[in-house]
Amino acid sequence: MPKTKFAMQDDLGLGLQPVVQNQRTINRDGTSNSRRTGLPFFRTADMYNSLINMSWRKFNLLVFAAYIVINVFFALVYLLIGIKNLDGVKPGGSNFQHFMDAFFFSAQTISTVGYGHISPSGLPASSVAALESLIGLLSFALATGLLYGRFSKPSAKIRYSKNIIVAPYHDITALMFRLANFRSNQLVELEVHLMLTYNAVIDGKALRQYVSLELERDNINLLTLSWTVVHPITEDSPLKTMDLEFLQQNEAEFIVMLKAFDDDFSQTVHSRTSYTDEEIIWGAKFLPAFARNETGIHVLALNKIDALEKVEVGGQVKADTTLP
């Protein structure tokens, strides 16, 4: 382990156990790369959190599947009661035709549409239809609330560069990554924190170390284009005594935590990501991601956030450096 002038941080809630198999602490999408056990099976708070945060594709599939399952269940109940208790069903049809009639009657009942072609007859069928109408009202109210929660939840959609690089910086070198706002909303008062974590042996015991890296600028007032976050590798930097081989051998990870104020929602939003040692490029620099058009307006090309070119660092490019 190299001798450094920086102060180590204690456990930050991420654990002091060393990383194995180069597993991330924080995933690229900002979620925690951990699993929890010993939890109860039914967790209503976690259920709501999952429904709010899951992808739109999963949410839509879940809503559609729940709608189908509920209607199939009530269709089977109507068939169990007897199809004769549904006025308007054509007699003499096949079992499949009767099931489809009951299914679509259920769909009309749960949505309170009620076209009038089929109607319940008798106390059993009417009672089931009344119960289904109540369940439909509650279900649609729940789905509407979840939709509103998903649309109204403030969140940051930050586009981070694919790699974190070591590039020339004035008369020294610096660790850099780039970010931009993927949405068209305005983010103000941005603050970013960069942390290095790696495996180390302390008193014969393998531990995970955490070090905050000092940035050239850790806050900006407004993010309109892209922002290149820079950690100068000075004499006081922990990276001064570390090279790419050291970072790879000790399964290093750079954790990025960003906080900003969303001007549209008037709320603070957060974003996180991480870079592993496999995503470090030693000896490269970012190419410009924006330029002015013919009218003089700045145009940001989000697909160029990752654009790099090889450069010399300390007089030479690292032999094992490859650009994606």
Side-chain angles (χ1 to χ4, degrees):
M1 176 180 173
K3 296 180 179 180
T4 56
K5 303 178 182 178
F6 54 92
M8 296 292 182
Q9 295 191 5
D10 295 330
D11 180 14
L12 302 178
L14 301 175
L16 292 176
Q17 293 183 346
V19 168
V20 295
Q21 299 183 8
N22 211 23
Q23 287 289 335
R24 294 179 184 271
T25 304
I26 301 295
N27 295 318
R28 285 306 301 264
D29 62 0
T31 58
S32 175
N33 187 23
S34 62
R35 301 292 184 270
R36 297 187 298 167
T37 60
L39 297 173
F41 183 77
F42 291 103
R43 306 187 303 276
T44 56
D46 284 352
M47 185 182 301
Y48 174 78
N49 184 69
S50 299
L51 291 171
I52 288 294
N53 291 297
M54 69 172 52
S55 66
W56 277 105
R57 180 180 180 182
K58 290 183 178 180
F59 180 78
N60 292 331
L61 287 175
L62 181 61
V63 171
F64 180 75
Y67 180 77
I68 295 297
V69 168
I70 291 175
N71 283 299
V72 168
F73 171 78
F74 277 102
L76 294 176
V77 172
Y78 290 126
L79 290 178
L80 184 62
I81 294 174
I83 198 68
K84 62 181 179 296
N85 291 300
L86 296 181
D87 293 339
V89 176
K90 296 180 180 179
S94 63
N95 291 333
F96 176 76
Q97 184 62 46
H98 289 166
F99 171 79
M100 295 306 298
D101 289 336
F103 177 85
F104 288 115
F105 170 70
S106 173
Q108 297 168 23
T109 302
I110 199 171
S111 60
T112 67
V113 173
Y115 290 118
H117 174 63
I118 301 177
S119 60
S121 175
L123 182 61
S126 298
S127 299
V128 173
L131 175 62
E132 185 177 8
S133 298
L134 176 62
I135 293 176
L137 289 173
L138 296 177
S139 299
F140 282 108
L142 176 62
T144 302
L146 290 172
L147 281 172
Y148 175 78
R150 291 176 64 88
F151 275 110
S152 62
K153 176 188 175 184
S155 61
K157 188 69 172 180
I158 301 297
R159 173 74 161 82
Y160 294 95
S161 58
K162 181 180 179 181
N163 298 99
I164 190 168
I165 66 174
V166 175
Y169 176 76
H170 299 312
D171 296 330
I172 56 175
T173 57
L175 184 77
M176 306 179 185
F177 66 93
R178 191 157 59 178
L179 61 89
N181 186 10
F182 197 74
R183 292 183 175 142
S184 58
N185 62 327
Q186 291 292 325
L187 295 179
V188 298
E189 302 299 330
L190 288 86
E191 299 178 11
V192 67
H193 181 68
L194 179 63
M195 181 185 299
L196 166 64
T197 173
Y198 61 95
N199 294 338
V201 178
I202 308 296
D203 297 329
K205 185 177 181 180
L207 296 173
R208 193 67 174 174
Q209 297 292 289
Y210 301 91
V211 189
S212 289
L213 299 181
E214 185 176 353
L215 302 177
E216 172 204 37
R217 179 185 294 272
D218 60 7
N219 65 88
I220 58 174
N221 294 328
L222 178 65
L223 180 62
T224 55
L225 297 171
S226 63
W227 180 16
T228 301
V229 180
V230 178
H231 164 67
I233 304 179
T234 63
E235 294 295 331
D236 297 327
S237 170
L239 295 177
K240 187 66 176 179
T241 55
M242 300 179 185
D243 57 11
L244 185 59
E245 181 180 359
F246 174 86
L247 296 174
Q248 291 174 340
Q249 288 178 349
N250 293 277
E251 303 190 56
E253 180 182 2
F254 295 92
I255 300 176
V256 180
M257 290 171 284
L258 183 140
K259 180 174 69 174
F261 186 81
D262 191 320
D263 201 34
D264 289 347
F265 287 96
S266 295
Q267 293 190 37
T268 300
V269 293
H270 298 267
S271 177
R272 294 171 298 276
T273 192
S274 70
Y275 296 95
T276 64
D277 57 83
E278 298 175 347
E279 294 162 333
I280 304 172
I281 295 183
W282 205 290
K285 73 174 183 179
F286 288 114
L287 295 175
F290 58 87
R292 293 185 183 273
N293 61 13
E294 60 277 3
T295 63
I297 298 177
H298 278 112
V299 177
L300 173 63
L302 289 170
N303 59 340
K304 294 184 178 180
I305 293 295
D306 304 320
L308 302 168
E309 69 175 0
K310 288 186 178 181
V311 295
E312 293 185 355
V313 174
Q316 61 180 359
V317 176
K318 292 285 182 177
D320 55 354
T321 295
T322 56
L323 292 179

